[in-house]
Amino acid sequence: MQLGWHALAIALAAGSHYGTASGAKASAVHNLSDKAFDAWSDAQELALVKFFAPWCGYCQAMAPSYEQAAVALKKDGIPLAEVDCTKEAKLCEELDIPGYPTLKVV
């Protein structure tokens, strides 16, 4: 799995944008709700989850790199997910998310 984390570091540092010619994009990042979080994270051997708020400038800046990392790590069987803490406030509070963005390995 060390190779997978190396790929994550490279992908997050690169900051490339993915998308179609029309500007629409299919995301490799799983969008998790409060109801789906436990089952999804329990089913993963190793995964990374980003906790964010849509209004957060740092989160917006990180989004393209996180998407690129999700594409790269999917090949290694390491899924990336995200939780919108403005919609899933209870979950973020339960997990003691201190600010945005927060990354957690699950």
Side-chain angles (χ1 to χ4, degrees):
M1 292 297 169
Q2 191 174 25
L3 177 61
W5 289 112
H6 180 69
L8 172 63
I10 291 169
L12 287 174
S16 295
H17 294 271
Y18 279 92
T20 64
S22 67
K25 63 180 181 177
S27 180
V29 177
H30 300 269
N31 194 333
L32 301 178
S33 68
D34 181 26
K35 294 177 183 177
F37 182 82
D38 286 334
W40 184 87
S41 60
D42 288 345
Q44 310 309 317
E45 182 178 332
L46 176 66
L48 184 67
V49 180
K50 174 181 73 170
F51 297 86
F52 76 101
W55 48 259
C56 168
Y58 295 112
C59 301
Q60 293 168 9
M62 179 186 189
S65 298
Y66 196 70
E67 179 69 32
Q68 182 181 3
V71 170
L73 292 175
K74 185 176 184 178
K75 298 171 193 166
D76 294 328
I78 303 171
L80 272 62
E82 65 183 8
V83 174
D84 181 345
C85 289
T86 64
K87 294 181 180 177
E88 307 298 340
K90 180 181 173 187
L91 174 63
C92 295
E93 185 178 321
E94 289 172 1
L95 296 174
D96 296 321
I97 303 304
Y100 313 119
T102 295
L103 299 174
K104 288 195 177 230
V105 175
V106 296

